Amino acid sequence: MMFLCAERGLWGVGLISRGTLGVVAISPSAGHSFGCLQELGWGAVIGENIQTCCQLCTHGTSGVLIMDEVITEYIRRTVLKIPRDEIMAVLQKWGFLSEAQLQTINFRQTKESISHSVAQLCEESSANIKQAALLDIIYNHIYPNKRVWSVYHMNKTGEETDLFDFRDFKKKFRRRIQSALINVTINFREYEDNAIWIRIAWGTPYTKPNQYKTSYVVYHSQTPYVFISASVLRSNLPLLCQALVFASNYHDIREMELRSHCLNSLKDIVFKRYSQNFQTNYPQQERNVLTENVDLRINDENRSEKERIHRLNLECFGDGPQPKLDFAQYKLETMFKSDPRWDVLEKKEPFRCLVKFSSPHLLESLKSLAPAGLADAPLSPLLTCIPQKARNYFKIREKKSLLPGSFVSP
């Protein structure tokens, strides 16, 4: 940090981050205190006599900021991730650039050229980390399938329901995280469906927040469910969960064994918005569907079997579209069965096996197996219970009893 005395005040030149300089003019009435550029995102400029960081807009302080080139590059890379035909619509939702500025961009050129044009306009408009983070939130809201989401469930000690206050939630969430970690960037955006999107860029006690390795949280107020797309820096996940529990007035939180790229399908499963049909009698309407457009001269020997498969499929999957999951994983643990006198194994360790089913639309694929003749009907409950149990991670252990469902670990 370097200070230069000028005729009308004190000038400070500081290294904000990664070689970027920040310049702040301090009026004489501000004394020897020096403002904080922490809101710029990647760091703070701190004076010699400062004990705590303060906002740049401290009374008696006026400042001129040089935009961090790292922010410009971050905005440019975010634009590069957007499909070219949709860049204009995303930028309009962002709202930072005016319509007149957007009209100066040639959206028919390559994405590389478009991104440079957008970055230049943002630099001219002095975009800061808040605008850059908002663009990233809008991108992830439009394209949530680019991330892997995990479902968490929160519990209360009582049955009381608190009125949700968004401002209070933000204040408590920030306070809980920043009390443990100063170098962090937190941004919020509330959407019409009562979904609160939270973006967290994590740093360490010695490094600034990494804007490229963010965590995302989607929380629907008045529900106990939270959807988290964690950063590769998973060491911060316990702190994130603590902040969620503290801000939402819950008692604890646990991770459900349910993950997918498709955020909306995860919501459909936990909020029970998918089609469910557990009829025991074969519906007459569906019987007519099977018989129409059939040549009466053709004798279908397997008609009753097809009707049985169709009925069982309806009981398991319903008659509507299935939630979109891209995988289901099963871990098997079983003991070797043999005569104790043989003493085949020295160590009584269980055999372990991992089976993973993957598909762009797993549940629809499972639903089509029996009608296509590729599997017997009904399918195993391990495959059909995924939406009902709200999980796609299973552990299959030794049966301890004959109780239903004992094959699945709690």
Side-chain angles (χ1 to χ4, degrees):
M1 175 67 63
M2 177 178 63
F3 291 97
L4 299 176
C5 292
E7 293 182 0
R8 296 188 177 182
L10 183 69
W11 286 85
V13 181
L15 189 66
I16 299 176
S17 71
R18 304 184 187 179
T20 304
L21 290 177
V23 181
V24 180
I26 308 298
S27 63
S29 60
H32 293 288
S33 64
F34 199 76
C36 171
L37 300 186
Q38 189 174 16
E39 286 300 321
L40 195 57
W42 279 276
V45 181
I46 306 175
E48 290 178 322
N49 298 324
I50 286 295
Q51 296 180 354
T52 59
C53 291
C54 58
Q55 296 289 339
L56 182 62
C57 56
T58 304
H59 296 296
T61 303
S62 61
V64 179
L65 304 182
I66 296 179
M67 178 181 175
D68 194 330
E69 61 184 12
V70 181
I71 299 178
T72 309
E73 177 63 16
Y74 183 79
I75 293 175
R76 191 187 75 82
R77 293 192 186 186
T78 303
V79 172
L80 280 175
K81 295 188 292 185
I82 307 171
R84 193 183 68 169
D85 296 339
E86 302 176 22
I87 293 178
M88 178 71 165
V90 174
L91 293 179
Q92 287 175 334
K93 286 187 177 182
W94 185 28
F96 177 69
L97 299 177
S98 66
E99 286 294 331
Q101 289 176 308
L102 293 177
Q103 293 300 324
T104 64
I105 303 175
N106 179 12
F107 289 97
R108 295 183 179 180
Q109 57 187 338
T110 63
K111 284 193 355 179
E112 184 71 24
S113 300
I114 295 174
S115 67
H116 281 290
S117 300
V118 172
Q120 182 178 356
L121 290 174
C122 291
E123 186 172 3
E124 294 172 358
S125 301
S126 301
N128 58 30
I129 186 57
K130 289 185 177 180
Q131 279 84 37
L134 176 58
L135 177 61
D136 189 51
I137 293 176
I138 292 173
Y139 167 79
N140 281 277
H141 180 260
I142 298 175
Y143 310 102
N145 295 2
K146 300 294 184 181
R147 308 179 71 96
V148 178
W149 299 90
S150 299
V151 185
Y152 288 74
H153 183 268
M154 297 187 292
N155 296 302
K156 283 183 179 286
T157 53
E159 297 296 330
E160 69 280 357
T161 301
D162 300 325
L163 294 178
F164 182 77
D165 187 333
F166 184 39
R167 291 185 178 180
D168 183 62
F169 176 86
K170 291 194 297 183
K171 181 180 178 181
K172 293 168 70 175
F173 187 89
R174 285 183 187 274
R175 186 169 74 239
R176 181 64 187 87
I177 289 186
Q178 292 178 343
S179 65
L181 183 63
I182 295 297
N183 290 326
V184 62
T185 304
I186 307 173
N187 300 91
F188 299 84
R189 184 174 176 85
E190 189 174 20
Y191 283 91
E192 297 77 11
D193 58 348
N194 293 326
I196 299 171
W197 282 65
I198 311 173
R199 176 187 182 274
I200 308 104
W202 304 94
T204 69
Y206 310 103
T207 60
K208 304 309 175 187
N210 189 333
Q211 303 297 328
Y212 295 96
K213 296 179 181 178
T214 57
S215 296
Y216 266 87
V217 176
V218 179
Y219 171 55
H220 285 257
S221 59
Q222 306 300 330
T223 75
Y225 295 102
V226 182
F227 307 88
I228 298 179
S229 178
S231 164
V232 293
L233 306 173
R234 294 189 63 86
S235 58
N236 295 309
L237 188 57
L239 176 59
L240 173 58
C241 292
Q242 292 173 17
L244 283 168
V245 170
F246 176 70
S248 55
N249 298 321
Y250 278 83
H251 178 66
D252 60 22
I253 185 172
R254 66 175 181 86
E255 182 179 5
M256 301 172 61
E257 299 295 333
L258 181 63
R259 297 166 209 157
S260 176
H261 284 88
C262 189
L263 176 61
N264 290 332
S265 289
L266 294 178
K267 293 181 182 181
D268 290 342
I269 290 175
V270 297
F271 297 145
K272 303 297 182 183
R273 298 191 301 208
Y274 62 95
S275 173
Q276 301 180 76
N277 193 341
F278 302 100
Q279 301 184 36
T280 56
N281 297 321
Y282 192 78
Q284 185 65 33
Q285 181 181 358
E286 297 299 334
R287 181 185 297 274
N288 294 336
V289 172
L290 290 179
T291 57
E292 67 181 8
N293 298 326
V294 175
D295 193 334
L296 298 178
R297 297 170 297 177
I298 299 177
N299 184 19
D300 189 352
E301 297 180 354
N302 296 324
R303 180 177 175 179
S304 61
E305 177 64 15
K306 289 182 179 179
E307 290 180 352
R308 185 186 73 87
I309 293 174
H310 191 73
R311 173 175 56 82
L312 293 174
N313 248 22
L314 280 177
E315 293 177 359
C316 293
F317 296 101
D319 58 356
Q322 299 297 304
K324 190 174 183 180
L325 298 177
D326 39 24
F327 67 91
Q329 182 172 297
Y330 301 83
K331 288 185 177 181
L332 171 65
E333 293 185 4
T334 182
M335 298 299 295
F336 181 79
K337 303 295 192 301
S338 66
D339 192 318
R341 294 173 297 177
W342 295 351
D343 196 20
V344 176
L345 297 178
E346 295 181 359
K347 295 182 179 180
K348 302 301 181 182
E349 289 288 334
F351 288 103
R352 293 179 175 87
C353 177
L354 175 65
V355 178
K356 185 174 183 179
F357 296 91
S358 298
S359 170
H361 203 326
L362 179 65
L363 295 179
E364 285 292 347
S365 300
L366 295 175
K367 184 179 179 180
S368 65
L369 287 178
L374 299 176
D376 294 332
L379 296 178
S380 167
L382 282 171
L383 299 174
T384 59
C385 73
I386 293 174
Q388 287 81 23
K389 287 186 175 290
R391 62 188 300 174
N392 58 347
Y393 279 77
F394 295 88
K395 286 185 179 180
I396 309 172
R397 297 193 177 102
E398 291 290 316
K399 288 186 178 181
K400 302 296 182 182
S401 66
L402 298 179
L403 293 176
S406 60
F407 53 83
V408 178
S409 66

